[in-house]
Amino acid sequence: MRILHTSDWHLGRSFHRVSMLAAQRDFLDHLVATVRERQVDAVLVAGDVYDRAVPPLAAVELFDDALHRLAGLGVPTVMISGNHDSPRRLGVGAGLIERAGIHLRTDPAGCGTPVVLADRHGDVAFYGLPYLEPRLVRETLDAPAAGHPAVLGAAMDRVRADLAARPPGTRSVVLAHAFVTGGAVSDSERDITVGGVASVPAEVFDGVDYVALGHLHGCQTLTERVRYSGSPLAYSFSEAAHRKSMWLVDLDAEGAIGAAERVDCPVPRPLARLRGRLDDLLADPGLARHEAAWVEATLTDPVRPHEPMARLAERFPHVLTLVFDPERPPEDPLASYAQRLRGRTDREIAEDFVAHVRGGRGPDAGESVLLGDALEAVRTEGEDPR
């Protein structure tokens, strides 16, 4: 069975205030063409179909058009909700849509109920594990704890139990939206770390033939059977070096990966991260290749230059962001506040602030718990487990 694995479309998202709808439309055209030309048997979308819970109308129309075109090809599509999606909104009409071969899996309670497709070698069971917010789904899944490893482990227990009851030789594929240990992150993914350990080991998925992951935006192979497709478009300058693609995976009669090929996605415009003094950036002939790119410029001039954005735009008309990181001695007390915070979690920053205003005395154990609860409540506000 030939599977096309993609994820993290983020329909409706912009790139530094530049609309990405046209680029997203081009990607979906490419997706449909790939399905048709490469004789794909099943399309997998591993979450974050939309960029936010209430997407703009133009994004909904784009999604609707994509579903109609995929259904028109007669190729089954299995998709799950991600942490950016509203499970209930994305899942509206799932029963009716399923009749057209579009299988939406947004309810955590259904983790152990697969979409069963068949080829000449027999059945393949596709299990959809939507994004599982631990605090909201622990009871639903009877998880022993409220962390990400516990709830994903409970969901996979249901998958393995269902698979064990199926005829011998049934092959299996899991779609999951999660942060798996060993994956490389980028700046455009929403943080899911508050309230406990965010990552889960790849071993939690043991017992199935292929795991189609979503959430991280870089295409990655964690093991031969556990892969991220990454987002089809770059959504932050931290993805400037990414090769955006989808996985085309052949599952053989025994459930082994017969072949796995990266299918490149269209690039609307390349990204460039430039760093240096303004005059050097404007004069360096080696930067000519970036003149048509979307540019993030970090200026290191000791004194902020006059009208830097306007001057940069004369050479780089698509410059989008400007960062100032002036050259200073290492011991300079005016070193960037952002640099001092780099690599620290929201909770650590909050606890440091308490210590600062108290003259060095940080929060006690009870206050640390309250801070953690408050941060998690803010992050999960408005989320719905369904």
Side-chain angles (χ1 to χ4, degrees):
M1 181 170 286
R2 174 162 289 181
I3 298 164
L4 185 64
H5 166 200
T6 179
S7 73
D8 295 273
W9 295 355
H10 289 278
L11 299 181
R13 186 165 188 158
S14 60
F15 183 78
H16 293 275
R17 299 178 300 281
V18 175
S19 172
M20 296 294 283
L21 278 172
Q24 290 167 345
R25 185 176 296 107
D26 288 344
F27 158 67
L28 291 173
D29 289 344
H30 172 67
L31 171 73
V32 172
T34 301
V35 172
R36 182 176 58 249
E37 294 166 7
R38 302 299 299 272
Q39 299 180 318
V40 171
D41 297 307
V43 177
L44 311 184
V45 186
D48 282 352
V49 174
Y50 292 121
D51 188 56
R52 57 181 188 263
V54 184
L57 179 59
V60 176
E61 291 174 340
L62 196 57
F63 178 59
D64 180 67
D65 179 66
L67 294 188
H68 276 84
R69 295 169 70 186
L70 288 169
L73 292 175
V75 176
T77 298
V78 184
M79 59 178 60
I80 60 174
S81 50
N83 60 303
H84 281 249
D85 298 310
S86 165
R88 293 191 69 181
R89 287 188 174 89
L90 184 63
V92 167
L96 287 173
I97 295 172
E98 191 154 10
R99 298 180 185 179
I102 307 294
H103 307 274
L104 292 168
R105 292 294 184 263
T106 64
D107 184 357
C111 287
T113 304
V115 176
V116 180
L117 305 177
D119 63 9
R120 65 182 185 276
H121 302 299
D123 288 347
V124 181
F126 291 84
Y127 297 89
L129 279 55
Y131 172 67
L132 303 173
E133 173 57 49
R135 192 169 64 93
L136 299 177
V137 305
R138 177 183 178 182
E139 292 185 5
T140 300
L141 297 175
D142 297 320
H148 288 273
V151 296
L152 261 172
M156 282 301 302
D157 285 344
R158 294 189 177 200
V159 169
R160 285 184 282 264
D162 179 85
L163 189 58
R166 295 189 174 275
T170 299
R171 290 159 290 165
S172 56
V173 175
V174 164
L175 293 78
H177 196 86
F179 179 14
V180 178
T181 304
V185 302
S186 59
D187 292 344
S188 55
E189 298 133 5
R190 183 176 295 168
D191 180 35
I192 60 171
T193 59
V194 177
V197 177
S199 64
V200 300
E203 291 77 16
V204 77
F205 299 107
D206 284 353
V208 297
D209 295 316
Y210 183 72
V211 182
L213 293 174
H215 180 56
L216 299 185
H217 287 184
C219 182
Q220 301 169 62
T221 300
L222 303 185
T223 73
E224 181 66 15
R225 296 177 182 273
V226 182
R227 300 171 187 259
Y228 282 101
S229 66
S231 61
L233 297 166
Y235 290 114
S236 72
F237 277 101
S238 66
E239 301 167 58
H242 286 190
R243 173 188 165 194
K244 296 300 184 181
S245 57
M246 304 177 285
W247 281 114
L248 192 65
V249 176
D250 288 338
L251 202 63
D252 71 14
E254 305 302 321
I257 308 300
E261 174 188 348
R262 291 180 68 177
V263 178
D264 291 327
C265 296
V267 178
R269 190 177 295 279
L271 307 184
R273 308 184 88 173
L274 308 183
R275 181 183 179 87
R277 297 193 176 198
L278 178 59
D279 288 343
D280 293 338
L281 297 182
L282 296 177
D284 186 351
L287 300 181
R289 67 187 187 277
H290 299 308
E291 291 174 357
W294 279 321
V295 169
E296 174 193 73
T298 299
L299 299 185
T300 60
D301 301 71
V303 178
R304 184 171 299 205
H306 178 64
E307 296 186 342
M309 194 68 163
R311 293 171 63 189
L312 279 167
E314 290 179 2
R315 183 180 189 190
F316 306 103
H318 304 287
V319 60
L320 295 180
T321 67
L322 188 58
V323 179
F324 292 97
D325 187 15
E327 298 166 351
R328 293 192 180 105
E331 69 278 3
D332 190 336
L334 298 179
S336 167
Y337 178 69
Q339 288 178 331
R340 297 201 303 273
L341 296 184
R342 188 169 297 155
R344 301 185 68 77
T345 66
D346 290 342
R347 183 165 183 163
E348 289 171 335
I349 293 169
E351 290 178 348
D352 286 351
F353 176 76
V354 172
H356 172 72
V357 298
R358 285 180 173 173
R361 183 171 62 86
D364 59 28
E367 290 168 335
S368 292
V369 170
L370 289 175
L371 278 173
D373 290 346
L375 288 167
E376 184 168 357
V378 169
R379 186 174 63 86
T380 59
E381 183 178 0
E383 294 191 19
D384 190 310
R386 295 171 293 177

